[in-house]
Amino acid sequence: MSGLTVNSVPAAKRVEYMRKTNEALYRQSGPCPFAAFGSIIVNHTSDEVVCEGANFRTGDPTIHGEISAINACTAKFTEQGMTPTEIYAAWGYLSIYTNAESCPMCASAIRWAGFKEYVYGTTIQHNYNVGWGVMTLSSYDVFQQSRQLPGYQTSMIGQILTNETDPLFSWQYNASAPCPNECFRVPSATRGGTTCSNVTVSRRDYDAL
């Protein structure tokens, strides 16, 4: 969609907000988290990020970046005194950005919410190709099966800023892939082999692994 304006939002603004999606990930999870999935919810009318989220290891397998961002906004809107009905209606005026194409669970949540727009970076196919265990049902297929849902029809805009999002997901299962964001390879104490980190491992710690 290079150069295209969609819903009165120019392509350059999409790139800006996808970059902000990555920045939100770094704030929450550091510069090179293994699960590098970040999301933000944007109000393009006021040109601002409303909420952000990332994959958090809480033990709850549903807390992906998109769900985390939706939960953050729900809590924020509730604190602002909005009723459940008002919160539900608000999604139709907001856009959700995620640096990787949503899994079927999150894509379904996006459609159930009725977001105005869903914007993603790296594709499911890319992540499958580089070794991620993923459900290969695309967001397009999920959306095709949700056309009968009432309310807003969510616009889907994909593969934004992939030159910056793809590297975030390319190193986890490929030891020869470069680390993103000036991180570097260190031994992994939990997965074996190496992982990417921005923390130097001492020789003593290295030998202890």
Side-chain angles (χ1 to χ4, degrees), residues 18 37 98-102 118 120-127 130 158-170:
M18 188 59 69
F37 301 90
T98 177
N99 60 1
E101 183 178 358
S102 298
Y118 155 50
Y120 67 85
T122 295
T123 65
I124 286 175
Q125 187 63 50
H126 172 273
N127 284 348
V130 297
Q159 300 186 62
I160 304 300
L161 199 66
T162 54
N163 61 307
E164 294 184 22
T165 61
D166 284 0
L168 299 178
F169 303 98
S170 298

Side-chain angles (χ1 to χ4, degrees), residues 26-149:
Y26 307 148
R27 279 194 299 275
Q28 296 171 92
S29 303
C32 46
F34 191 92
F37 301 90
S39 296
I40 61 174
I41 293 174
V42 174
N43 184 333
H44 275 297
T45 300
S46 58
D47 194 22
E48 63 178 335
V49 175
V50 182
C51 302
E52 58 187 46
N55 277 38
F56 295 120
R57 296 182 66 84
T58 65
D60 182 346
T62 68
I63 303 300
H64 291 188
E66 299 92 325
I67 305 302
S68 174
I70 291 170
N71 288 346
C73 266
T74 301
K76 179 177 181 177
F77 295 157
T78 299
E79 290 173 0
Q80 292 174 344
M82 293 174 64
T83 67
T85 299
E86 290 170 336
I87 293 171
Y88 190 82
W91 306 123
Y93 299 94
L94 300 173
S95 302
I96 186 165
Y97 282 68
T98 177
N99 60 1
E101 183 178 358
S102 298
C103 72
M105 176 188 73
C106 292
S108 297
I110 289 167
R111 278 298 293 121
W112 277 115
F115 279 97
K116 180 178 181 179
E117 298 177 323
Y118 155 50
V119 187
Y120 67 85
T122 295
T123 65
I124 286 175
Q125 187 63 50
H126 172 273
N127 284 348
Y128 175 81
N129 290 344
V130 297
W132 284 88
V134 296
M135 296 181 185
T136 54
L137 184 68
S138 71
S139 294
Y140 174 82
D141 290 330
V142 173
F143 276 39
Q144 283 293 102
Q145 297 301 316
S146 68
R147 287 177 296 177
Q148 71 276 22
L149 289 180

Side-chain angles (χ1 to χ4, degrees), residues 7-21:
N7 293 332
S8 301
V9 179
K13 183 63 69 172
R14 303 291 183 192
V15 168
E16 175 187 333
Y17 275 106
M18 188 59 69
R19 193 164 283 135
K20 288 182 178 182
T21 304

